[in-house]
Amino acid sequence: MPGTPHPVLPGTRPDTRTGTGVRRRIASALAGLGLLAATVIAAAPAQAGTAQAAATDPVAAAKALAAPLVPGANNWSCRPSAAHPRPVVLVHGTFANGSVNWLPIAPTLAAEGYCVFALTYGEQPGIPILRAIAPVPDSARQLATFVDGVLAATGAAKADLVGHSQGGGLTPRYYLKFEGGAAKVHTLVGLAPSNHGTTLLGLATLAQSIPGAMDIVGSACPACADQVVGSDVLTRLNAGGDTVPGVSYTVIYTRYDEVVTPYRTQALSGPDVHNVLVQDLCPANSPDHVLMAFDPVVRHEIRHALDPAHVGEADCWANVTG
């Protein structure tokens, strides 16, 4: 109704921000990183053999990259239904891993009947815990290996990708353009993606929120350099246009992003592109970069992007808890 204020949803704050709530929720969201470190490290030797496994068994190669302990994800016996004919592959962001990044989103999609898969990619030799720090082209090839295995396991012709930060921008878009992904992907949904790069200050801001990350930003994070405005990877990726034919793109972003700045550079241009600002859906909602993967309005909008015929666009009054 005209003049009716938008409600403040659980887990959101009004636009008058003190910063305290953000820091508390970032700490909570990242608390699992240390708890999952041993599991991620234990999985690393298996990832080293991915190339050899891929030569004989694409499913085994994908399983070697699968993120452990993701609720609702990586059920390799899952077969897509008529209602949801494409598996959903979740692609995490810089410094994170698939186990931490998708704790709310994976079970939501699985509960709706999607076959959900999550990988952990981008390991650098000698760097513990932190992932998605390898060169973007290398990570894109790992994503290609994972998608090939998912398609082989499920029997689907194409997959949908949902990614966060680097995993919603550079890595999947590099895969689509240079690693054959355009023929295997129907939809890419990017949350706070670094589509046109960011400043080093933005990457440092993200690193400061993750224990140990700041120590390696300057020396051992090729993906960080790839995401800086004007990098060779960004120049090659965006030459000739932001998109490739045949793929539907949705970008979901927030004006409170302190990592990929200016925030409007996340938007894409091209056919079949849907750029969605969270505050256009719900002015009272104010997730920052990290919290985009945990926000209920964003979660609803992902569902809409994957199934626009049956799930309405999110707003402050929608069922945004699923």
Side-chain angles (χ1 to χ4, degrees):
M1 289 173 26
T4 301
H6 290 277
V8 179
L9 297 165
T12 66
R13 288 174 294 106
D15 290 345
T16 54
R17 293 153 53 92
T18 64
T20 303
V22 166
R23 288 192 294 272
R24 183 181 300 113
R25 286 184 290 161
I26 288 176
S28 176
L30 297 172
L33 192 61
L35 296 176
L36 290 163
T39 305
V40 174
I41 292 170
Q47 293 183 21
T50 297
Q52 182 177 357
T56 56
D57 187 346
V59 178
K63 287 182 177 179
L65 290 165
L69 305 178
V70 184
N74 298 329
N75 174 6
W76 295 94
S77 64
C78 185
R79 297 295 179 267
S81 64
H84 301 301
R86 295 180 300 276
V88 177
V89 174
L90 304 176
V91 192
H92 63 84
T94 309
F95 303 133
N97 57 59
S99 300
V100 170
N101 214 141
W102 304 114
L103 292 176
I105 291 174
T108 295
L109 296 177
E112 295 205 349
Y114 288 95
C115 292
V116 181
F117 297 86
L119 79 161
T120 289
Y121 69 93
E123 178 186 359
Q124 276 287 89
I127 305 297
I129 304 175
L130 302 178
R131 298 295 182 259
I133 58 175
V136 164
D138 292 352
S139 294
R141 284 187 283 273
Q142 286 188 307
L143 177 58
T145 295
F146 193 74
V147 172
D148 284 349
V150 167
L151 295 180
T154 60
K158 291 188 176 184
D160 291 334
L161 307 181
V162 176
H164 183 207
S165 193
Q166 179 195 156
L170 264 68
T171 292
R173 288 181 56 228
Y174 196 99
Y175 160 60
L176 294 176
K177 187 169 185 176
F178 298 117
E179 297 296 333
K184 302 173 184 180
V185 172
H186 180 276
T187 297
L188 169 61
V189 183
L191 316 181
S194 50
N195 281 321
H196 298 101
T198 184
T199 63
L200 186 59
L201 179 60
L203 291 165
T205 299
L206 177 61
Q208 288 170 347
S209 72
I210 300 176
M214 198 63 193
D215 295 337
I216 71 160
V217 167
S219 59
C221 182
C224 297
D226 288 343
Q227 292 176 88
V228 172
V229 173
S231 74
D232 289 342
V233 166
L234 277 165
T235 300
R236 285 189 288 117
L237 179 61
N238 292 323
D242 290 347
T243 64
V244 296
V247 178
S248 175
Y249 297 80
T250 295
V251 174
I252 307 173
Y253 60 116
T254 172
R255 65 165 50 100
Y256 299 112
D257 198 313
E258 79 286 26
V259 174
V260 182
T261 56
Y263 70 91
R264 292 195 181 276
T265 64
Q266 299 174 35
L268 293 173
S269 299
D272 206 1
V273 168
H274 312 276
N275 295 307
V276 181
L277 182 66
V278 171
Q279 286 73 40
D280 286 343
L281 302 174
C282 181
N285 204 32
S286 54
D288 69 351
H289 183 85
V290 171
L291 292 177
M292 287 289 286
F294 298 84
D295 183 81
V297 173
V298 173
R299 200 154 63 240
H300 185 104
E301 194 60 17
I302 291 169
R303 295 169 54 228
H304 171 70
L306 295 175
D307 190 8
H310 300 100
V311 179
E313 190 172 52
D315 59 33
C316 286
W317 300 99
N319 173 19
V320 295
T321 59

